[in-house]
Amino acid sequence: MDTNGKYLTLNGQPVAVNGDKNLLELIRANGIELPTFCYHSKLSVYGACRLCIVDIEGMGIVTSCSTKPAPGMVVRTHTEQLRKMRRVFLELLLANHHQSCTTCGKSDACKLQELSRQMDVTNVRFPAIPKDLPVDVSSPSLVRDPNKCILCGDCVRACSEIQGIGAIDFAGRGSSTVVAPA
């Protein structure tokens, strides 16, 4: 082991801390896959989906996307408690999603469906939050269905941070929150 103490323990194994942006990237660089929905390496950290949670000794359960790795950390990624919590978080995302998957054009390329299969979530115990919002077809280049939005924030951050426009943001509170123009 390094004499400078530049290691953390990841699932029982020493791993070098080399200035990684966050724990999620360090974990993935070491061949461990953690589920995420809202994380994008080119965008700011939002941490809304909570799927990338890890258990850090002395800190408890935290999101790996928003936690900077530090020497001496003892990190566990796939305990039974974490797996159960991830499934609940995914069910909550699904409950906030218009569930017309069989007729959706993204059905074969849907990250939400992919994560559901990976985590074996076949049933949502939480009541669906009814939405019946109009589909926005005002742009010739973009069709936006707010009924399928799970508020991951990717579009808001991409519009602001990549496009430099900032034309959309979150509006409303609680279950009435939507992504909308100003």
PDB file of all heavy atoms in Angstrom, residues 42-83:
ATOM      1  N   LYS A  42     -20.567  15.119 -18.231  1.00  0.00           N
ATOM      2  CA  LYS A  42     -20.300  16.435 -18.828  1.00  0.00           C
ATOM      3  C   LYS A  42     -21.160  17.537 -18.209  1.00  0.00           C
ATOM      4  O   LYS A  42     -21.045  18.696 -18.586  1.00  0.00           O
ATOM      5  CB  LYS A  42     -20.566  16.391 -20.331  1.00  0.00           C
ATOM      6  CG  LYS A  42     -19.732  15.378 -21.076  1.00  0.00           C
ATOM      7  CD  LYS A  42     -18.348  15.898 -21.332  1.00  0.00           C
ATOM      8  CE  LYS A  42     -17.596  14.991 -22.273  1.00  0.00           C
ATOM      9  NZ  LYS A  42     -16.541  14.261 -21.677  1.00  0.00           N
ATOM     10  N   LEU A  43     -22.050  17.175 -17.285  1.00  0.00           N
ATOM     11  CA  LEU A  43     -22.930  18.154 -16.664  1.00  0.00           C
ATOM     12  C   LEU A  43     -22.647  18.260 -15.172  1.00  0.00           C
ATOM     13  O   LEU A  43     -22.022  17.377 -14.585  1.00  0.00           O
ATOM     14  CB  LEU A  43     -24.399  17.754 -16.875  1.00  0.00           C
ATOM     15  CG  LEU A  43     -24.893  17.670 -18.314  1.00  0.00           C
ATOM     16  CD1 LEU A  43     -26.304  17.103 -18.354  1.00  0.00           C
ATOM     17  CD2 LEU A  43     -24.842  19.032 -18.982  1.00  0.00           C
ATOM     18  N   SER A  44     -23.145  19.327 -14.571  1.00  0.00           N
ATOM     19  CA  SER A  44     -22.992  19.485 -13.127  1.00  0.00           C
ATOM     20  C   SER A  44     -23.744  18.359 -12.413  1.00  0.00           C
ATOM     21  O   SER A  44     -24.632  17.732 -12.976  1.00  0.00           O
ATOM     22  CB  SER A  44     -23.536  20.843 -12.679  1.00  0.00           C
ATOM     23  OG  SER A  44     -24.920  20.928 -12.965  1.00  0.00           O
ATOM     24  N   VAL A  45     -23.382  18.120 -11.188  1.00  0.00           N
ATOM     25  CA  VAL A  45     -24.008  17.060 -10.409  1.00  0.00           C
ATOM     26  C   VAL A  45     -25.358  17.545  -9.895  1.00  0.00           C
ATOM     27  O   VAL A  45     -25.479  18.641  -9.364  1.00  0.00           O
ATOM     28  CB  VAL A  45     -23.095  16.646  -9.230  1.00  0.00           C
ATOM     29  CG1 VAL A  45     -23.813  15.685  -8.301  1.00  0.00           C
ATOM     30  CG2 VAL A  45     -21.813  16.026  -9.763  1.00  0.00           C
ATOM     31  N   TYR A  46     -26.369  16.702 -10.071  1.00  0.00           N
ATOM     32  CA  TYR A  46     -27.711  17.029  -9.621  1.00  0.00           C
ATOM     33  C   TYR A  46     -28.125  16.119  -8.462  1.00  0.00           C
ATOM     34  O   TYR A  46     -28.747  16.558  -7.515  1.00  0.00           O
ATOM     35  CB  TYR A  46     -28.670  16.924 -10.810  1.00  0.00           C
ATOM     36  CG  TYR A  46     -30.080  17.346 -10.526  1.00  0.00           C
ATOM     37  CD1 TYR A  46     -30.370  18.593  -9.987  1.00  0.00           C
ATOM     38  CD2 TYR A  46     -31.141  16.504 -10.801  1.00  0.00           C
ATOM     39  CE1 TYR A  46     -31.665  18.988  -9.733  1.00  0.00           C
ATOM     40  CE2 TYR A  46     -32.440  16.889 -10.552  1.00  0.00           C
ATOM     41  CZ  TYR A  46     -32.702  18.127 -10.021  1.00  0.00           C
ATOM     42  OH  TYR A  46     -33.988  18.507  -9.770  1.00  0.00           O
ATOM     43  N   GLY A  47     -27.798  14.832  -8.541  1.00  0.00           N
ATOM     44  CA  GLY A  47     -28.032  13.898  -7.441  1.00  0.00           C
ATOM     45  C   GLY A  47     -29.481  13.626  -7.115  1.00  0.00           C
ATOM     46  O   GLY A  47     -29.799  13.273  -5.986  1.00  0.00           O
ATOM     47  N   ALA A  48     -30.372  13.758  -8.074  1.00  0.00           N
ATOM     48  CA  ALA A  48     -31.801  13.616  -7.797  1.00  0.00           C
ATOM     49  C   ALA A  48     -32.285  12.181  -7.766  1.00  0.00           C
ATOM     50  O   ALA A  48     -33.177  11.856  -6.996  1.00  0.00           O
ATOM     51  CB  ALA A  48     -32.615  14.386  -8.829  1.00  0.00           C
ATOM     52  N   CYS A  49     -31.718  11.309  -8.572  1.00  0.00           N
ATOM     53  CA  CYS A  49     -32.281   9.960  -8.674  1.00  0.00           C
ATOM     54  C   CYS A  49     -31.926   9.077  -7.481  1.00  0.00           C
ATOM     55  O   CYS A  49     -32.640   8.147  -7.182  1.00  0.00           O
ATOM     56  CB  CYS A  49     -31.865   9.296  -9.989  1.00  0.00           C
ATOM     57  SG  CYS A  49     -30.141   8.733 -10.065  1.00  0.00           S
ATOM     58  N   ARG A  50     -30.827   9.356  -6.822  1.00  0.00           N
ATOM     59  CA  ARG A  50     -30.373   8.623  -5.628  1.00  0.00           C
ATOM     60  C   ARG A  50     -29.978   7.171  -5.907  1.00  0.00           C
ATOM     61  O   ARG A  50     -29.736   6.418  -4.985  1.00  0.00           O
ATOM     62  CB  ARG A  50     -31.406   8.621  -4.504  1.00  0.00           C
ATOM     63  CG  ARG A  50     -32.078   9.923  -4.172  1.00  0.00           C
ATOM     64  CD  ARG A  50     -31.170  11.027  -3.995  1.00  0.00           C
ATOM     65  NE  ARG A  50     -30.868  11.434  -2.641  1.00  0.00           N
ATOM     66  CZ  ARG A  50     -30.046  12.423  -2.397  1.00  0.00           C
ATOM     67  NH1 ARG A  50     -29.472  13.061  -3.375  1.00  0.00           N
ATOM     68  NH2 ARG A  50     -29.774  12.769  -1.185  1.00  0.00           N
ATOM     69  N   LEU A  51     -29.912   6.757  -7.152  1.00  0.00           N
ATOM     70  CA  LEU A  51     -29.610   5.358  -7.463  1.00  0.00           C
ATOM     71  C   LEU A  51     -28.144   5.005  -7.222  1.00  0.00           C
ATOM     72  O   LEU A  51     -27.825   3.843  -7.000  1.00  0.00           O
ATOM     73  CB  LEU A  51     -30.002   5.039  -8.912  1.00  0.00           C
ATOM     74  CG  LEU A  51     -31.487   5.126  -9.229  1.00  0.00           C
ATOM     75  CD1 LEU A  51     -31.729   4.862 -10.713  1.00  0.00           C
ATOM     76  CD2 LEU A  51     -32.298   4.175  -8.372  1.00  0.00           C
ATOM     77  N   CYS A  52     -27.266   5.984  -7.222  1.00  0.00           N
ATOM     78  CA  CYS A  52     -25.830   5.712  -7.087  1.00  0.00           C
ATOM     79  C   CYS A  52     -25.364   5.710  -5.626  1.00  0.00           C
ATOM     80  O   CYS A  52     -24.181   5.865  -5.353  1.00  0.00           O
ATOM     81  CB  CYS A  52     -25.026   6.721  -7.904  1.00  0.00           C
ATOM     82  SG  CYS A  52     -25.057   8.401  -7.228  1.00  0.00           S
ATOM     83  N   ILE A  53     -26.284   5.490  -4.700  1.00  0.00           N
ATOM     84  CA  ILE A  53     -25.923   5.526  -3.280  1.00  0.00           C
ATOM     85  C   ILE A  53     -24.886   4.464  -2.922  1.00  0.00           C
ATOM     86  O   ILE A  53     -24.844   3.393  -3.513  1.00  0.00           O
ATOM     87  CB  ILE A  53     -27.160   5.372  -2.363  1.00  0.00           C
ATOM     88  CG1 ILE A  53     -27.937   4.109  -2.706  1.00  0.00           C
ATOM     89  CG2 ILE A  53     -28.013   6.622  -2.402  1.00  0.00           C
ATOM     90  CD1 ILE A  53     -29.076   3.783  -1.746  1.00  0.00           C
ATOM     91  N   VAL A  54     -24.031   4.829  -1.971  1.00  0.00           N
ATOM     92  CA  VAL A  54     -23.032   3.922  -1.407  1.00  0.00           C
ATOM     93  C   VAL A  54     -23.049   4.112   0.106  1.00  0.00           C
ATOM     94  O   VAL A  54     -23.554   5.109   0.611  1.00  0.00           O
ATOM     95  CB  VAL A  54     -21.613   4.192  -1.968  1.00  0.00           C
ATOM     96  CG1 VAL A  54     -21.543   3.885  -3.455  1.00  0.00           C
ATOM     97  CG2 VAL A  54     -21.157   5.613  -1.683  1.00  0.00           C
ATOM     98  N   ASP A  55     -22.470   3.151   0.807  1.00  0.00           N
ATOM     99  CA  ASP A  55     -22.371   3.240   2.262  1.00  0.00           C
ATOM    100  C   ASP A  55     -20.912   3.506   2.608  1.00  0.00           C
ATOM    101  O   ASP A  55     -20.025   2.723   2.254  1.00  0.00           O
ATOM    102  CB  ASP A  55     -22.840   1.921   2.885  1.00  0.00           C
ATOM    103  CG  ASP A  55     -22.938   1.988   4.393  1.00  0.00           C
ATOM    104  OD1 ASP A  55     -22.676   3.061   4.980  1.00  0.00           O
ATOM    105  OD2 ASP A  55     -23.280   0.951   5.006  1.00  0.00           O
ATOM    106  N   ILE A  56     -20.659   4.636   3.261  1.00  0.00           N
ATOM    107  CA  ILE A  56     -19.305   5.009   3.660  1.00  0.00           C
ATOM    108  C   ILE A  56     -19.221   4.931   5.179  1.00  0.00           C
ATOM    109  O   ILE A  56     -20.010   5.581   5.872  1.00  0.00           O
ATOM    110  CB  ILE A  56     -18.925   6.427   3.186  1.00  0.00           C
ATOM    111  CG1 ILE A  56     -19.027   6.513   1.662  1.00  0.00           C
ATOM    112  CG2 ILE A  56     -17.522   6.796   3.656  1.00  0.00           C
ATOM    113  CD1 ILE A  56     -18.783   7.905   1.114  1.00  0.00           C
ATOM    114  N   GLU A  57     -18.280   4.133   5.640  1.00  0.00           N
ATOM    115  CA  GLU A  57     -18.088   3.971   7.083  1.00  0.00           C
ATOM    116  C   GLU A  57     -17.886   5.333   7.739  1.00  0.00           C
ATOM    117  O   GLU A  57     -17.059   6.127   7.305  1.00  0.00           O
ATOM    118  CB  GLU A  57     -16.872   3.075   7.323  1.00  0.00           C
ATOM    119  CG  GLU A  57     -16.815   2.453   8.688  1.00  0.00           C
ATOM    120  CD  GLU A  57     -15.698   1.430   8.759  1.00  0.00           C
ATOM    121  OE1 GLU A  57     -15.902   0.302   8.254  1.00  0.00           O
ATOM    122  OE2 GLU A  57     -14.617   1.766   9.288  1.00  0.00           O
ATOM    123  N   GLY A  58     -18.682   5.615   8.770  1.00  0.00           N
ATOM    124  CA  GLY A  58     -18.576   6.874   9.488  1.00  0.00           C
ATOM    125  C   GLY A  58     -19.393   8.006   8.892  1.00  0.00           C
ATOM    126  O   GLY A  58     -19.595   9.031   9.531  1.00  0.00           O
ATOM    127  N   MET A  59     -19.843   7.854   7.646  1.00  0.00           N
ATOM    128  CA  MET A  59     -20.663   8.882   6.984  1.00  0.00           C
ATOM    129  C   MET A  59     -22.085   8.399   6.735  1.00  0.00           C
ATOM    130  O   MET A  59     -22.998   9.204   6.607  1.00  0.00           O
ATOM    131  CB  MET A  59     -20.039   9.292   5.639  1.00  0.00           C
ATOM    132  CG  MET A  59     -18.755  10.091   5.758  1.00  0.00           C
ATOM    133  SD  MET A  59     -18.044  10.469   4.132  1.00  0.00           S
ATOM    134  CE  MET A  59     -19.196  11.654   3.483  1.00  0.00           C
ATOM    135  N   GLY A  60     -22.233   7.101   6.580  1.00  0.00           N
ATOM    136  CA  GLY A  60     -23.545   6.543   6.266  1.00  0.00           C
ATOM    137  C   GLY A  60     -23.756   6.444   4.775  1.00  0.00           C
ATOM    138  O   GLY A  60     -22.812   6.357   3.990  1.00  0.00           O
ATOM    139  N   ILE A  61     -25.015   6.497   4.378  1.00  0.00           N
ATOM    140  CA  ILE A  61     -25.384   6.327   2.976  1.00  0.00           C
ATOM    141  C   ILE A  61     -25.421   7.692   2.297  1.00  0.00           C
ATOM    142  O   ILE A  61     -26.097   8.607   2.754  1.00  0.00           O
ATOM    143  CB  ILE A  61     -26.728   5.597   2.868  1.00  0.00           C
ATOM    144  CG1 ILE A  61     -26.555   4.183   3.437  1.00  0.00           C
ATOM    145  CG2 ILE A  61     -27.214   5.549   1.420  1.00  0.00           C
ATOM    146  CD1 ILE A  61     -27.814   3.391   3.568  1.00  0.00           C
ATOM    147  N   VAL A  62     -24.648   7.795   1.204  1.00  0.00           N
ATOM    148  CA  VAL A  62     -24.528   9.054   0.454  1.00  0.00           C
ATOM    149  C   VAL A  62     -24.602   8.758  -1.041  1.00  0.00           C
ATOM    150  O   VAL A  62     -24.390   7.623  -1.471  1.00  0.00           O
ATOM    151  CB  VAL A  62     -23.193   9.789   0.769  1.00  0.00           C
ATOM    152  CG1 VAL A  62     -23.083  10.138   2.237  1.00  0.00           C
ATOM    153  CG2 VAL A  62     -21.990   8.954   0.334  1.00  0.00           C
ATOM    154  N   THR A  63     -24.873   9.782  -1.832  1.00  0.00           N
ATOM    155  CA  THR A  63     -24.824   9.614  -3.283  1.00  0.00           C
ATOM    156  C   THR A  63     -23.358   9.681  -3.718  1.00  0.00           C
ATOM    157  O   THR A  63     -22.631  10.592  -3.342  1.00  0.00           O
ATOM    158  CB  THR A  63     -25.642  10.698  -4.010  1.00  0.00           C
ATOM    159  OG1 THR A  63     -25.225  11.978  -3.559  1.00  0.00           O
ATOM    160  CG2 THR A  63     -27.127  10.513  -3.772  1.00  0.00           C
ATOM    161  N   SER A  64     -22.946   8.708  -4.507  1.00  0.00           N
ATOM    162  CA  SER A  64     -21.543   8.655  -4.937  1.00  0.00           C
ATOM    163  C   SER A  64     -21.230   9.740  -5.965  1.00  0.00           C
ATOM    164  O   SER A  64     -20.082  10.168  -6.083  1.00  0.00           O
ATOM    165  CB  SER A  64     -21.206   7.274  -5.497  1.00  0.00           C
ATOM    166  OG  SER A  64     -21.980   6.981  -6.641  1.00  0.00           O
ATOM    167  N   CYS A  65     -22.245  10.224  -6.698  1.00  0.00           N
ATOM    168  CA  CYS A  65     -21.995  11.246  -7.716  1.00  0.00           C
ATOM    169  C   CYS A  65     -21.644  12.592  -7.100  1.00  0.00           C
ATOM    170  O   CYS A  65     -20.980  13.408  -7.729  1.00  0.00           O
ATOM    171  CB  CYS A  65     -23.194  11.387  -8.641  1.00  0.00           C
ATOM    172  SG  CYS A  65     -24.678  12.077  -7.852  1.00  0.00           S
ATOM    173  N   SER A  66     -22.086  12.819  -5.870  1.00  0.00           N
ATOM    174  CA  SER A  66     -21.850  14.123  -5.246  1.00  0.00           C
ATOM    175  C   SER A  66     -20.847  14.059  -4.097  1.00  0.00           C
ATOM    176  O   SER A  66     -20.712  15.021  -3.354  1.00  0.00           O
ATOM    177  CB  SER A  66     -23.181  14.703  -4.741  1.00  0.00           C
ATOM    178  OG  SER A  66     -23.738  13.859  -3.756  1.00  0.00           O
ATOM    179  N   THR A  67     -20.147  12.938  -3.978  1.00  0.00           N
ATOM    180  CA  THR A  67     -19.175  12.768  -2.893  1.00  0.00           C
ATOM    181  C   THR A  67     -17.780  12.641  -3.466  1.00  0.00           C
ATOM    182  O   THR A  67     -17.519  11.788  -4.317  1.00  0.00           O
ATOM    183  CB  THR A  67     -19.522  11.521  -2.046  1.00  0.00           C
ATOM    184  OG1 THR A  67     -20.861  11.643  -1.576  1.00  0.00           O
ATOM    185  CG2 THR A  67     -18.571  11.371  -0.877  1.00  0.00           C
ATOM    186  N   LYS A  68     -16.885  13.499  -3.021  1.00  0.00           N
ATOM    187  CA  LYS A  68     -15.491  13.469  -3.469  1.00  0.00           C
ATOM    188  C   LYS A  68     -14.754  12.343  -2.745  1.00  0.00           C
ATOM    189  O   LYS A  68     -14.888  12.200  -1.528  1.00  0.00           O
ATOM    190  CB  LYS A  68     -14.835  14.816  -3.153  1.00  0.00           C
ATOM    191  CG  LYS A  68     -13.452  14.965  -3.727  1.00  0.00           C
ATOM    192  CD  LYS A  68     -13.417  16.154  -4.661  1.00  0.00           C
ATOM    193  CE  LYS A  68     -12.015  16.412  -5.131  1.00  0.00           C
ATOM    194  NZ  LYS A  68     -11.707  15.817  -6.395  1.00  0.00           N
ATOM    195  N   PRO A  69     -13.984  11.523  -3.469  1.00  0.00           N
ATOM    196  CA  PRO A  69     -13.225  10.463  -2.803  1.00  0.00           C
ATOM    197  C   PRO A  69     -12.115  11.053  -1.926  1.00  0.00           C
ATOM    198  O   PRO A  69     -11.513  12.059  -2.285  1.00  0.00           O
ATOM    199  CB  PRO A  69     -12.625   9.655  -3.949  1.00  0.00           C
ATOM    200  CG  PRO A  69     -12.948  10.373  -5.206  1.00  0.00           C
ATOM    201  CD  PRO A  69     -13.805  11.542  -4.893  1.00  0.00           C
ATOM    202  N   ALA A  70     -11.893  10.413  -0.805  1.00  0.00           N
ATOM    203  CA  ALA A  70     -10.846  10.864   0.107  1.00  0.00           C
ATOM    204  C   ALA A  70     -10.096   9.656   0.641  1.00  0.00           C
ATOM    205  O   ALA A  70     -10.698   8.609   0.888  1.00  0.00           O
ATOM    206  CB  ALA A  70     -11.457  11.658   1.263  1.00  0.00           C
ATOM    207  N   PRO A  71      -8.793   9.796   0.819  1.00  0.00           N
ATOM    208  CA  PRO A  71      -8.020   8.689   1.390  1.00  0.00           C
ATOM    209  C   PRO A  71      -8.597   8.272   2.748  1.00  0.00           C
ATOM    210  O   PRO A  71      -9.056   9.098   3.526  1.00  0.00           O
ATOM    211  CB  PRO A  71      -6.613   9.289   1.558  1.00  0.00           C
ATOM    212  CG  PRO A  71      -6.558  10.403   0.561  1.00  0.00           C
ATOM    213  CD  PRO A  71      -7.950  10.952   0.504  1.00  0.00           C
ATOM    214  N   GLY A  72      -8.601   6.970   2.973  1.00  0.00           N
ATOM    215  CA  GLY A  72      -9.083   6.434   4.244  1.00  0.00           C
ATOM    216  C   GLY A  72     -10.552   6.053   4.247  1.00  0.00           C
ATOM    217  O   GLY A  72     -11.010   5.363   5.158  1.00  0.00           O
ATOM    218  N   MET A  73     -11.306   6.486   3.247  1.00  0.00           N
ATOM    219  CA  MET A  73     -12.722   6.109   3.187  1.00  0.00           C
ATOM    220  C   MET A  73     -12.853   4.599   3.067  1.00  0.00           C
ATOM    221  O   MET A  73     -12.042   3.950   2.410  1.00  0.00           O
ATOM    222  CB  MET A  73     -13.420   6.730   1.971  1.00  0.00           C
ATOM    223  CG  MET A  73     -13.792   8.155   2.097  1.00  0.00           C
ATOM    224  SD  MET A  73     -14.654   8.680   0.565  1.00  0.00           S
ATOM    225  CE  MET A  73     -15.328  10.220   1.132  1.00  0.00           C
ATOM    226  N   VAL A  74     -13.898   4.060   3.681  1.00  0.00           N
ATOM    227  CA  VAL A  74     -14.245   2.653   3.522  1.00  0.00           C
ATOM    228  C   VAL A  74     -15.629   2.650   2.875  1.00  0.00           C
ATOM    229  O   VAL A  74     -16.615   3.031   3.510  1.00  0.00           O
ATOM    230  CB  VAL A  74     -14.243   1.904   4.870  1.00  0.00           C
ATOM    231  CG1 VAL A  74     -14.666   0.458   4.679  1.00  0.00           C
ATOM    232  CG2 VAL A  74     -12.863   1.984   5.520  1.00  0.00           C
ATOM    233  N   VAL A  75     -15.670   2.238   1.601  1.00  0.00           N
ATOM    234  CA  VAL A  75     -16.876   2.358   0.787  1.00  0.00           C
ATOM    235  C   VAL A  75     -17.410   0.972   0.420  1.00  0.00           C
ATOM    236  O   VAL A  75     -16.661   0.116  -0.030  1.00  0.00           O
ATOM    237  CB  VAL A  75     -16.571   3.146  -0.514  1.00  0.00           C
ATOM    238  CG1 VAL A  75     -17.819   3.307  -1.370  1.00  0.00           C
ATOM    239  CG2 VAL A  75     -15.939   4.489  -0.205  1.00  0.00           C
ATOM    240  N   ARG A  76     -18.725   0.799   0.616  1.00  0.00           N
ATOM    241  CA  ARG A  76     -19.410  -0.420   0.185  1.00  0.00           C
ATOM    242  C   ARG A  76     -20.464  -0.012  -0.838  1.00  0.00           C
ATOM    243  O   ARG A  76     -21.193   0.955  -0.628  1.00  0.00           O
ATOM    244  CB  ARG A  76     -20.040  -1.134   1.376  1.00  0.00           C
ATOM    245  CG  ARG A  76     -18.993  -1.792   2.280  1.00  0.00           C
ATOM    246  CD  ARG A  76     -19.597  -2.422   3.527  1.00  0.00           C
ATOM    247  NE  ARG A  76     -20.176  -1.452   4.455  1.00  0.00           N
ATOM    248  CZ  ARG A  76     -19.470  -0.668   5.279  1.00  0.00           C
ATOM    249  NH1 ARG A  76     -18.167  -0.722   5.282  1.00  0.00           N
ATOM    250  NH2 ARG A  76     -20.088   0.180   6.095  1.00  0.00           N
ATOM    251  N   THR A  77     -20.544  -0.769  -1.937  1.00  0.00           N
ATOM    252  CA  THR A  77     -21.419  -0.376  -3.037  1.00  0.00           C
ATOM    253  C   THR A  77     -22.664  -1.240  -3.208  1.00  0.00           C
ATOM    254  O   THR A  77     -23.626  -0.788  -3.815  1.00  0.00           O
ATOM    255  CB  THR A  77     -20.659  -0.404  -4.377  1.00  0.00           C
ATOM    256  OG1 THR A  77     -20.215  -1.742  -4.640  1.00  0.00           O
ATOM    257  CG2 THR A  77     -19.483   0.551  -4.370  1.00  0.00           C
ATOM    258  N   HIS A  78     -22.672  -2.462  -2.738  1.00  0.00           N
ATOM    259  CA  HIS A  78     -23.782  -3.354  -3.053  1.00  0.00           C
ATOM    260  C   HIS A  78     -24.264  -4.163  -1.849  1.00  0.00           C
ATOM    261  O   HIS A  78     -24.502  -5.360  -1.954  1.00  0.00           O
ATOM    262  CB  HIS A  78     -23.396  -4.292  -4.200  1.00  0.00           C
ATOM    263  CG  HIS A  78     -23.334  -3.599  -5.518  1.00  0.00           C
ATOM    264  ND1 HIS A  78     -22.232  -2.888  -5.925  1.00  0.00           N
ATOM    265  CD2 HIS A  78     -24.249  -3.471  -6.505  1.00  0.00           C
ATOM    266  CE1 HIS A  78     -22.461  -2.374  -7.117  1.00  0.00           C
ATOM    267  NE2 HIS A  78     -23.687  -2.702  -7.488  1.00  0.00           N
ATOM    268  N   THR A  79     -24.430  -3.500  -0.715  1.00  0.00           N
ATOM    269  CA  THR A  79     -24.975  -4.208   0.440  1.00  0.00           C
ATOM    270  C   THR A  79     -26.460  -4.484   0.184  1.00  0.00           C
ATOM    271  O   THR A  79     -27.085  -3.863  -0.690  1.00  0.00           O
ATOM    272  CB  THR A  79     -24.836  -3.377   1.734  1.00  0.00           C
ATOM    273  OG1 THR A  79     -25.672  -2.217   1.617  1.00  0.00           O
ATOM    274  CG2 THR A  79     -23.390  -2.972   1.994  1.00  0.00           C
ATOM    275  N   GLU A  80     -27.044  -5.380   0.946  1.00  0.00           N
ATOM    276  CA  GLU A  80     -28.468  -5.690   0.800  1.00  0.00           C
ATOM    277  C   GLU A  80     -29.318  -4.442   1.039  1.00  0.00           C
ATOM    278  O   GLU A  80     -30.282  -4.183   0.325  1.00  0.00           O
ATOM    279  CB  GLU A  80     -28.870  -6.813   1.755  1.00  0.00           C
ATOM    280  CG  GLU A  80     -30.289  -7.291   1.557  1.00  0.00           C
ATOM    281  CD  GLU A  80     -30.578  -7.840   0.165  1.00  0.00           C
ATOM    282  OE1 GLU A  80     -29.669  -8.414  -0.468  1.00  0.00           O
ATOM    283  OE2 GLU A  80     -31.727  -7.664  -0.303  1.00  0.00           O
ATOM    284  N   GLN A  81     -28.945  -3.641   2.039  1.00  0.00           N
ATOM    285  CA  GLN A  81     -29.687  -2.413   2.338  1.00  0.00           C
ATOM    286  C   GLN A  81     -29.655  -1.446   1.147  1.00  0.00           C
ATOM    287  O   GLN A  81     -30.674  -0.864   0.784  1.00  0.00           O
ATOM    288  CB  GLN A  81     -29.121  -1.732   3.583  1.00  0.00           C
ATOM    289  CG  GLN A  81     -29.851  -0.450   3.930  1.00  0.00           C
ATOM    290  CD  GLN A  81     -29.217   0.312   5.086  1.00  0.00           C
ATOM    291  OE1 GLN A  81     -28.056   0.096   5.432  1.00  0.00           O
ATOM    292  NE2 GLN A  81     -29.984   1.214   5.679  1.00  0.00           N
ATOM    293  N   LEU A  82     -28.489  -1.278   0.526  1.00  0.00           N
ATOM    294  CA  LEU A  82     -28.371  -0.391  -0.636  1.00  0.00           C
ATOM    295  C   LEU A  82     -29.214  -0.889  -1.802  1.00  0.00           C
ATOM    296  O   LEU A  82     -29.891  -0.106  -2.475  1.00  0.00           O
ATOM    297  CB  LEU A  82     -26.910  -0.250  -1.061  1.00  0.00           C
ATOM    298  CG  LEU A  82     -25.988   0.491  -0.094  1.00  0.00           C
ATOM    299  CD1 LEU A  82     -24.540   0.374  -0.543  1.00  0.00           C
ATOM    300  CD2 LEU A  82     -26.396   1.948   0.050  1.00  0.00           C
ATOM    301  N   ARG A  83     -29.183  -2.198  -2.045  1.00  0.00           N
ATOM    302  CA  ARG A  83     -29.977  -2.756  -3.145  1.00  0.00           C
ATOM    303  C   ARG A  83     -31.470  -2.515  -2.919  1.00  0.00           C
ATOM    304  O   ARG A  83     -32.192  -2.140  -3.839  1.00  0.00           O
ATOM    305  CB  ARG A  83     -29.681  -4.252  -3.317  1.00  0.00           C
ATOM    306  CG  ARG A  83     -28.365  -4.519  -4.037  1.00  0.00           C
ATOM    307  CD  ARG A  83     -28.267  -5.969  -4.479  1.00  0.00           C
ATOM    308  NE  ARG A  83     -28.056  -6.868  -3.357  1.00  0.00           N
ATOM    309  CZ  ARG A  83     -26.871  -7.230  -2.893  1.00  0.00           C
ATOM    310  NH1 ARG A  83     -25.781  -6.776  -3.458  1.00  0.00           N
ATOM    311  NH2 ARG A  83     -26.771  -8.056  -1.881  1.00  0.00           N
TER     312      ARG A  83
END
